[in-house]
Amino acid sequence: MRSCVLFLAALGVAPGIILAQSVEPKQGAVSGHVYCADTRTPCRFASVKIQRVQANFHALKTGGKSLVPDTSSYSGYTGIDGGFLITGVAPGDYYIHGTFAGYLDPFEVVFSEVQGEDRIPLQSLEKALPRIAVSAGLTTSSDLTLARGAALGGMVRYDDGGLAESVNIVLYRRGKNAKWNRYGDMLFAGYRMNSSFRTDDRGRFYLPGLPAGSYIVEASLPQPHFIPGIGTGFSSDGPES
């Protein structure tokens, strides 16, 4: 039996992006490195985001009226050495956090604790997220270390033992308020963006990067629906199985 091994080499890759860009006079920049806490190695090609500190983060509704949140945010990615540079940042105070597969995103953890409530407590964000100050014409340095999260996996089968392929998986986590909140949903422009996963061709699912806690896994069966001009399609927004 012949075997084929694929090698991926990263040769001659240098963090030149950090050296090639300069800070604009009326704007600032944020640079640093992201590391994995368990392996003490760089988090390569991780996502880094900075979000402006605003009161609307802590009070999503006031007097029954919804606030339009300030969505001033900037993002970038780390290189082969785990380094990043985000330019063109308006001066001000920001929260900074990183996202890397299998590792905890502090903002996502905080948000999951208060889903269904009208406010995100200031003390929760201040405790979980590093805070940085960006000044015009200067580069602010901030290094991040990400902790590996837990993982949840399993298999979905039908009553007759058949494998449930491409079934929508939704995860719920019990928050501090003792409520079961949908985990992975994020806040964007005042709206909650739903997060879901699907089983593979063997009916398996694997959800990494989870904080410790109690979870409920929900599986939704695909439901047929008619698409004008195309025919019958399937949606995963059906009843739970």
Side-chain angles (χ1 to χ4, degrees):
M1 178 181 296
R2 295 183 178 180
S3 61
C4 179
V5 180
L6 178 64
F7 292 92
L8 179 62
L11 300 178
V13 179
I17 185 173
I18 293 182
L19 301 176
Q21 301 188 38
S22 59
V23 181
E24 298 182 18
K26 295 184 179 181
Q27 298 176 324
V30 180
S31 68
H33 289 78
V34 183
Y35 300 98
C36 302
D38 54 339
T39 63
R40 297 183 180 179
T41 56
C43 291
R44 298 176 171 91
F45 314 115
S47 174
V48 179
K49 184 174 182 179
I50 59 174
Q51 172 71 54
R52 184 183 291 275
V53 176
Q54 290 289 342
N56 64 275
F57 243 140
H58 321 309
L60 301 181
K61 294 181 180 179
T62 301
K65 296 182 180 180
S66 299
L67 297 176
V68 179
D70 180 354
T71 57
S72 298
S73 63
Y74 306 84
S75 61
Y77 292 91
T78 61
I80 196 69
D81 66 340
F84 67 90
L85 175 67
I86 303 175
T87 60
V89 181
D93 293 330
Y94 294 85
Y95 293 123
I96 182 170
H97 62 107
T99 303
F100 193 53
Y103 289 77
L104 296 175
D105 180 349
F107 180 80
E108 186 174 272
V109 174
V110 171
F111 186 73
S112 71
E113 293 285 358
V114 295
Q115 282 189 6
E117 299 183 5
D118 290 341
R119 53 192 302 114
I120 300 177
L122 173 61
Q123 62 271 21
S124 296
L125 287 175
E126 295 286 348
K127 182 179 180 179
L129 301 178
R131 186 167 173 170
I132 59 175
V134 177
S135 301
L138 299 177
T139 298
T140 300
S141 179
S142 179
D143 290 341
L144 303 174
T145 300
L146 304 186
R148 180 171 286 278
L152 180 62
M155 179 179 291
V156 181
R157 291 180 177 270
Y158 294 106
D159 292 340
D160 60 3
L163 300 175
E165 176 188 359
S166 297
V167 166
N168 202 43
I169 298 295
V170 178
L171 197 61
Y172 293 87
R173 180 173 181 256
R174 189 171 185 178
K176 292 182 180 180
N177 53 12
K179 297 180 180 179
W180 291 99
N181 303 313
R182 182 164 171 165
Y183 187 79
D185 292 358
M186 298 298 291
L187 183 68
F188 180 76
Y191 298 93
R192 285 182 168 86
M193 309 298 290
N194 293 334
S195 176
S196 60
F197 309 88
R198 293 199 179 199
T199 57
D200 64 12
D201 62 319
R202 303 288 294 176
R204 299 169 300 193
F205 63 90
Y206 178 72
L207 312 176
L210 303 176
S214 299
Y215 292 88
I216 291 176
V217 178
E218 175 187 273
S220 298
L221 293 174
Q223 297 296 306
H225 61 276
F226 181 76
I227 304 176
I230 298 179
T232 301
F234 287 88
S235 170
S236 296
D237 297 328
E240 296 75 27
S241 62

